[in-house]
Amino acid sequence: MSKIRAALCITELEIGGAEKAFTELAAGLDPARFAPVIYVLRGEKYHSGKPSFLPILRQRGIPVFFLDVGGPFTFVRGVRRLARLLKEQKADVFLSFMFHANLLGRLAARRAKVGRVFSGIRVADREHRLHIALDRLTSRLVDRYLCVSRSAADFLERAERIPAGKIAVIPNGVRPPETPSPSPLSGTAEKRILFVGRLAWQKGLDWLLSFADEWLGAPEAQGWSFAIVGDGPQKKKLERMIARLAPETARRIEFLGWRADAAPLMARAGLFLFPSRYEGMPNVLLEAAAAGCAVLSSTCDGAEEILGGQSAPQTFTFGDKDGFLSKFRALLASDAARAELGRANAARVREEFSAEKMIARYEAEFLSES
């Protein structure tokens, strides 16, 4: 039996949740049945000197092509080049991740007459009406939408009027940490509150820091620090916000920058905060849960699906300051509660959100004929 020639397309390969899931999938496809090729909209120079997943893909020997698409003026050229490359590959199936790759990719895949075209929906994109309109306009070019969460699928049905029969849900999957997570009860967890993610408006850190004097000043938070791991366009704004806080509060907040060792930091943290405005299924929240960390997350898309029956004490509505403060203080007040939540989170991720299960679901879609 000949291998299925799988074309996998993404906007870029910088460190991020969608990019990590994409890399996990590409590297994890069964080599006996699939021959993957990667297509990246951004150019190779764009990735130079930046942390990215490119070394992992090259280490696995997976071919990677860069389309050098940097804006609307290079979009048409990108469609033509990708269509030519797909014809040369003789691709059987095509899967894209993220809006720009979805739009350009489906146009190129149909031009190249690829057998099956899949669009990966990574986020319920409520902020960009043009994106919604363009996706709806080109939806006839897609055989199957693969959504990262049930809430993202519901949004696709409601906002873009995509038939339910054309949609499948494949949650992100992560691998468990190599070493067991410390428990707050063992005394090895730090009195550190942790955020990991891109420093962008979407992630909600500006809202959280706007009243940091209140939550870091709570009696239950005495002796705790807040660490921010990541980088992004809001960093300078967030630094200015911290400078305006009370000196005692500001002293307990630190920027750690982008870190390759985020997983051990999660395992040692006493509480993981995730105040995002919107998501699809946040990979970093899965990783924190897999590390056995108690979390406090907004009810962004995918969060309640990740946390399951333990979501009530670990979620709040974005913008509800009082709701956040209540849940935050309750979690910090009880080492035992955080330890139990961390154990439940890790068990749920092992059972429901393994990388192996995610890859198997994509493989089943690729093997399906309808």
Side-chain angles (χ1 to χ4, degrees), residues 56-134:
I56 295 175
L57 295 169
R58 284 183 166 160
Q59 186 179 21
R60 297 295 179 92
I62 302 172
V64 180
F65 294 89
F66 296 92
L67 303 178
D68 293 306
V69 175
F73 297 108
T74 55
F75 185 88
V76 174
R77 185 188 67 190
V79 172
R80 290 172 179 165
R81 186 176 182 207
L82 179 56
R84 176 176 58 79
L85 289 168
L86 292 173
K87 287 179 182 177
E88 291 175 1
Q89 184 194 359
K90 298 180 181 178
D92 299 306
V93 297
F94 177 87
L95 169 68
S96 53
F97 271 25
M98 304 170 72
F99 170 76
H100 294 93
N102 284 346
L103 183 61
L104 185 150
R106 67 186 60 158
L107 292 169
R110 284 310 183 200
R111 184 170 180 154
K113 298 181 180 179
V114 176
R116 296 268 285 158
V117 177
F118 300 89
S119 273
I121 304 302
R122 312 300 302 174
V123 65
D125 194 353
R126 299 176 177 85
E127 302 300 317
H128 300 95
R129 293 185 180 181
L130 179 60
H131 289 189
I132 294 172
L134 289 173

